Amino acid sequence: MSTTQANKIEINKVATSKINQVDFDNLNFGSVFTDHLLECDFKNGEWQTPVIKPYAPFLLDPSARVFHYGQAIFEGMKAYKDEQDSIWLFRPDENFNRFNSSAVRMAMPEVPEEVFMNGLNELLKLDHEWIKKGLGNTLYIRPFLIATGEGVIANPSEDYKFMIILSPAKAYYSGEVKVLIAEHYSRAANGGIGAAKTAGNYAGQFYPTSLANKQGFQQIIWTDDATHTKLEEAGTMNVFFRINDTLFTAPVSERILDGVTRKSLIDMAKKEGLDIEVRPVLVSELVEASKNGSLKEIFGAGTAAVISPIAGFSYRDEYYELPKVSDSFAMILKEKLTNMQHKLIEDTYGWTVKVS
Amino acid sequence: MSTTQANKIEINKVATSKINQVDFDNLNFGSVFTDHLLECDFKNGEWQTPVIKPYAPFLLDPSARVFHYGQAIFEGMKAYKDEQDSIWLFRPDENFNRFNSSAVRMAMPEVPEEVFMNGLNELLKLDHEWIKKGLGNTLYIRPFLIATGEGVIANPSEDYKFMIILSPAKAYYSGEVKVLIAEHYSRAANGGIGAAKTAGNYAGQFYPTSLANKQGFQQIIWTDDATHTKLEEAGTMNVFFRINDTLFTAPVSERILDGVTRKSLIDMAKKEGLDIEVRPVLVSELVEASKNGSLKEIFGAGTAAVISPIAGFSYRDEYYELPKVSDSFAMILKEKLTNMQHKLIEDTYGWTVKVS
Ligand SMILES: Cc1ncc(COP(=O)(O)O)c(C=O)c1O
Ligand SMILES: Cc1ncc(COP(=O)(O)O)c(C=O)c1O
């Protein structure tokens, strides 16, 4: 792409904002979108001029590759507003880099930094009123890339569409989260696409998760598909386990998404003087720790879910309830993290980035 | 769905056919589509009235679930024209059943038989001129189902769109096919979605296949992801191995698509008196058989590829060339199969179904 093309962003504003129709106190996650979106097409081997325009449906050919062969990747980020009305992102470079790693794994073109970052910045500035102040209020950011090339033949598309859409959001999970530990179904294969943030990884979880839901569990903690003995991650969260006063989380691998929240919590735990070990955690250890009372907490960590404490887990038809702890590591870390993201405490890590 | 709704199909014909613009002697697989398509939406828990209408792009919301979470399944079938201008399908019930098994695995609604079968029949009758007579001429049929519901939250869509599009086709692979045996990358996980014909299974293969292409191999033969010792299937074909005078093919499993061509060839081989064994085939066996000269043939089998002989395979950087055999089982079976499909010989299996 010629830099001139990516640097200039075409902007078409809506005639009237729909913001007044939105009840910001009653938002279902991911269901309301702001006035504008960013769009940038990849055609003839080149990224075209990015365009910011009114959020609206768009046309695709019935043979578009995304429908048939699933070339589709995305990211999940959030924007926060501080008390001075400035807008902040949290480690956006991590999302940008992961997006392009996903692109490579799915044989899609990498999105230039100018398109992703400048595009996002401009879009956020335009729709800044959609970001509300106060802890718990965020704007969820969904960059995604889909294969738009025509033809029902199983090979990579020539054409792609990159988009960023924005959705004002409160918490992702509300209410108690009980999890089921996977004994048969799996999320990812060795040498597969589990580490990529690609659409197909999610649809594959829906059916097993619906079975879990019927048994009263909201989420599944996936295990390695070869032996089902190692705890890996949940549907949209990495997972941490606290045994006595040590936190454990699985190392990232080809099967596990390298979560930004996970890696931030690891660094924060270290700085806070919490004991943390990154190593494979066995299902048997978890069951054992629960039985002998040393299992104190389990929590999920992800951009959408933030930190989501888990009330108990089921394994081989046995339910293991977690104790109520007064010094919850989940709560300590969640408070630090969200306060930092909302600029209520100092960011000593250099993770928060101002939109300007 | 009320049966009345599904039984009546709304038909909107094109003003002028584009068939005269098509060069039927020079078709790239899956790139040209007929005048019409079938569309049927699933909304409010119900299938709506199926519509046959001009092939054209359609509108989707940027937050449509198919883009973000990959709920998308498809089938691949073919229609054939006999010398009397009748149109025939090959075991369409198998595709219909597999489609709905895929739907269940991907947490999507099953498509009613009236919509799938009557819809296909009506569509084929309308676009019958696009099916050309003669061995090697076929009409490739692509039924597919995508999640159209809006919202960036990782759970199943409420709304779906079912479509059938048609593409006149010659052979899928042309030229010599050399394959690489997977040592690191994988197609499917135990307990995963490998047995479903779902979009994400294909995109995941593109990158490893592009690496194989660079080394001069057109396809990969996937192995089990846990040990990479068992031969499973190729990207869009099941695989058969002939050692001495016995044919071998892997049993279907959660990781392998239950191919219609594969199961037909197994039955045909038995009837033809060819020795056939369905059992796991090890990479080590294949290498050994190649070294001692007992490996006679490898071929892929699938609707698009029909039967695709393989010229040689690479494993651990060693290339194993296959011998030229005069009594090729691949050729014997291919001739029988395609002649049966085109009604040039009697169908003693009851597999061919007339469109009327
Ligand atoms: C599968 C999966 N694991 C983990 C995460 C957490 O990653 P992050 O903290 O970067 O949001 C996500 C997404 O948010 C995910 O989709
Ligand atoms: C992964 C995969 N394996 C095997 C096959 C062969 O199946 P069938 O013979 O039903 O076309 C296909 C599709 O055509 C496929 O996509």
Side-chain angles (χ1 to χ4, degrees):
Chain A
M1 181 196 48
S2 58
T3 11
T4 47
Q5 249 181 339
N7 282 339
K8 68 162 187 272
I9 300 177
E10 215 179 286
I11 302 189
N12 309 324
K13 292 189 197 173
V14 292
T16 8
S17 172
K18 62 189 176 202
I19 194 166
N20 291 329
Q21 297 157 34
V22 175
D23 177 1
F24 281 83
D25 292 323
N26 292 293
L27 294 166
N28 288 325
F29 194 95
S31 63
V32 169
F33 296 91
T34 64
D35 289 323
H36 301 91
L37 56 74
L38 178 103
E39 178 181 67
C40 188
D41 288 334
F42 182 85
K43 256 185 227 165
N44 307 318
E46 281 199 314
W47 287 99
Q48 310 297 308
T49 305
V51 185
I52 287 176
K53 59 182 193 181
Y55 185 98
F58 61 97
L59 285 169
L60 274 183
D61 194 84
S63 74
R65 292 289 212 286
V66 63
F67 300 141
H68 302 271
Y69 306 117
Q71 275 185 300
I73 60 168
F74 68 94
E75 267 305 322
M77 315 164 66
K78 278 178 177 170
Y80 310 86
K81 199 172 255 179
D82 69 17
E83 291 307 309
Q84 288 71 48
D85 277 328
S86 291
I87 302 168
W88 297 85
L89 295 170
F90 186 72
R91 310 185 79 174
D93 50 322
E94 291 284 341
N95 296 281
F96 170 67
N97 291 332
R98 188 171 65 187
F99 193 75
N100 279 342
S101 305
S102 298
V104 170
R105 183 62 184 86
M106 304 315 285
M108 302 169 88
E110 294 177 64
V111 175
E113 188 163 357
E114 310 91 85
V115 174
F116 191 106
M117 290 299 191
N118 298 351
L120 176 56
N121 258 30
E122 292 310 312
L123 185 62
L124 288 174
K125 284 193 282 181
L126 192 60
D127 282 346
H128 67 95
E129 286 189 33
W130 293 78
I131 317 176
K132 300 297 173 191
K133 277 193 270 205
L135 264 182
N137 291 322
T138 64
L139 184 71
Y140 182 76
I141 300 165
R142 172 57 60 92
F144 66 102
L145 178 66
I146 55 170
T148 54
E150 300 169 18
V152 292
I153 182 159
N155 58 30
S157 178
E158 307 253 301
D159 303 333
Y160 296 87
K161 188 182 285 298
F162 172 68
M163 280 189 163
I164 304 178
I165 56 178
L166 307 173
S167 176
K170 302 242 178 201
Y172 190 86
Y173 296 109
S174 46
E176 205 168 55
V177 178
K178 292 179 184 173
V179 297
L180 191 74
I181 296 187
E183 292 168 52
H184 172 75
Y185 290 107
S186 314
R187 180 187 171 277
N190 296 301
I193 55 177
K197 214 162 158 67
T198 182
N201 283 338
Y202 297 83
Q205 302 181 55
F206 291 171
Y207 175 70
T209 303
S210 75
L211 298 180
N213 292 164
K214 278 181 200 142
Q215 294 180 260
F217 304 100
Q218 287 71 45
Q219 288 280 309
I220 291 174
I221 297 187
W222 298 105
T223 48
D224 67 296
D225 80 303
T227 68
H228 293 295
T229 57
K230 287 181 236 151
L231 295 158
E232 309 234 287
E233 64 172 321
T236 58
M237 311 186 285
N238 295 106
V239 193
F240 288 75
F241 308 92
R242 174 183 168 192
I243 297 176
N244 290 320
D245 282 345
T246 305
L247 274 178
F248 296 90
T249 192
V252 292
S253 74
E254 277 179 323
R255 294 188 307 263
I256 300 184
L257 194 82
D258 186 2
V260 181
T261 316
R262 172 188 172 280
K263 72 172 67 166
S264 303
L265 294 186
I266 293 171
D267 287 354
M268 287 169 64
K270 285 181 185 157
K271 208 157 177 176
E272 292 295 313
L274 300 178
D275 208 29
I276 176 142
E277 278 185 39
V278 177
R279 67 150 171 88
V281 185
L282 301 178
V283 182
S284 56
E285 279 183 273
L286 194 71
V287 168
E288 183 55 30
S290 178
K291 284 186 176 156
N292 69 26
S294 59
L295 181 67
K296 304 293 185 203
E297 294 179 68
I298 306 179
F299 57 90
T303 298
V306 193
I307 291 181
S308 182
I310 284 161
F313 68 91
S314 171
Y315 180 63
R316 295 203 176 148
D317 294 324
E318 194 114 8
Y319 181 68
Y320 302 84
E321 177 110 12
L322 283 154
K324 308 262 170 282
V325 290
S326 54
D327 64 337
S328 162
F329 287 8
M331 287 306 114
I332 294 171
L333 292 168
K334 183 177 177 177
E335 201 186 316
K336 283 265 168 210
L337 179 67
T338 53
N339 279 329
M340 192 196 311
Q341 289 167 333
H342 285 87
K343 303 302 284 183
L344 298 170
I345 58 169
E346 200 194 339
D347 166 14
T348 53
Y349 301 86
W351 287 340
T352 51
V353 177
K354 196 168 180 168
V355 173
S356 57
Chain B
M1 178 198 49
S2 59
T3 12
T4 46
Q5 250 182 339
N7 281 339
K8 69 163 186 269
I9 300 177
E10 214 179 286
I11 303 188
N12 309 323
K13 293 190 196 173
V14 293
T16 7
S17 172
K18 62 190 177 204
I19 195 166
N20 292 330
Q21 296 157 35
V22 175
D23 177 0
F24 281 83
D25 292 323
N26 293 292
L27 294 167
N28 288 326
F29 193 94
S31 63
V32 169
F33 297 91
T34 65
D35 289 323
H36 301 90
L37 56 74
L38 178 102
E39 178 181 65
C40 188
D41 287 335
F42 183 85
K43 256 186 227 166
N44 306 319
E46 282 200 312
W47 286 99
Q48 310 297 307
T49 306
V51 184
I52 287 176
K53 59 184 194 180
Y55 185 98
F58 62 98
L59 285 169
L60 273 184
D61 194 83
S63 74
R65 291 289 211 288
V66 63
F67 299 142
H68 302 271
Y69 305 116
Q71 276 185 298
I73 59 167
F74 67 94
E75 269 303 323
M77 314 164 66
K78 279 180 176 169
Y80 310 86
K81 200 171 254 178
D82 69 15
E83 291 306 309
Q84 288 71 48
D85 276 327
S86 292
I87 302 168
W88 297 84
L89 295 169
F90 186 73
R91 310 186 78 176
D93 49 323
E94 292 284 341
N95 295 281
F96 170 67
N97 292 332
R98 188 170 66 187
F99 193 74
N100 279 342
S101 306
S102 298
V104 170
R105 183 62 184 86
M106 305 314 286
M108 302 169 88
E110 294 177 64
V111 174
E113 186 162 359
E114 311 90 84
V115 173
F116 191 106
M117 289 299 191
N118 297 353
L120 177 56
N121 258 31
E122 292 309 311
L123 185 62
L124 287 173
K125 284 193 281 181
L126 191 59
D127 281 346
H128 67 95
E129 284 188 33
W130 293 79
I131 317 175
K132 300 296 175 190
K133 277 192 271 204
L135 263 182
N137 292 321
T138 63
L139 185 71
Y140 182 75
I141 300 166
R142 171 59 59 96
F144 65 103
L145 178 66
I146 55 170
T148 54
E150 299 169 18
V152 292
I153 183 159
N155 58 29
S157 179
E158 306 254 298
D159 303 332
Y160 295 87
K161 189 183 282 299
F162 172 68
M163 279 189 163
I164 305 178
I165 55 179
L166 307 173
S167 176
K170 302 244 177 197
Y172 191 85
Y173 296 109
S174 45
E176 205 167 57
V177 179
K178 292 180 184 172
V179 297
L180 192 73
I181 296 187
E183 291 168 52
H184 172 75
Y185 290 107
S186 314
R187 181 186 169 276
N190 296 301
I193 55 176
K197 214 164 159 69
T198 182
N201 283 338
Y202 297 83
Q205 303 180 55
F206 291 170
Y207 175 70
T209 303
S210 76
L211 298 180
N213 291 163
K214 278 180 199 141
Q215 294 180 261
F217 304 100
Q218 287 71 46
Q219 289 279 310
I220 292 174
I221 297 186
W222 299 105
T223 49
D224 67 297
D225 80 303
T227 67
H228 293 295
T229 57
K230 287 180 236 152
L231 296 158
E232 309 234 289
E233 62 173 321
T236 57
M237 311 185 285
N238 296 105
V239 192
F240 288 76
F241 308 92
R242 174 183 168 192
I243 298 176
N244 290 321
D245 281 346
T246 304
L247 273 178
F248 296 91
T249 193
V252 291
S253 74
E254 278 179 323
R255 293 187 310 263
I256 300 183
L257 194 83
D258 186 3
V260 180
T261 315
R262 173 189 171 280
K263 72 171 67 163
S264 303
L265 294 185
I266 293 171
D267 287 354
M268 286 168 63
K270 285 181 185 158
K271 206 154 177 178
E272 292 296 313
L274 300 178
D275 209 26
I276 178 142
E277 279 185 39
V278 177
R279 66 149 171 89
V281 186
L282 302 176
V283 182
S284 57
E285 279 183 273
L286 194 71
V287 168
E288 183 55 32
S290 178
K291 284 185 176 157
N292 70 26
S294 59
L295 181 67
K296 305 293 184 202
E297 293 179 70
I298 306 179
F299 56 90
T303 299
V306 193
I307 291 181
S308 181
I310 284 160
F313 68 93
S314 171
Y315 180 64
R316 295 202 175 148
D317 295 324
E318 193 115 7
Y319 182 68
Y320 301 84
E321 176 110 12
L322 283 154
K324 308 262 171 285
V325 290
S326 54
D327 65 338
S328 163
F329 286 8
M331 288 305 116
I332 294 171
L333 291 168
K334 182 177 179 177
E335 202 186 314
K336 282 265 167 211
L337 179 67
T338 52
N339 279 329
M340 193 195 312
Q341 288 166 333
H342 285 88
K343 304 301 284 182
L344 297 171
I345 58 168
E346 200 193 341
D347 166 14
T348 52
Y349 301 87
W351 287 339
T352 51
V353 177
K354 196 169 179 169
V355 173
S356 57

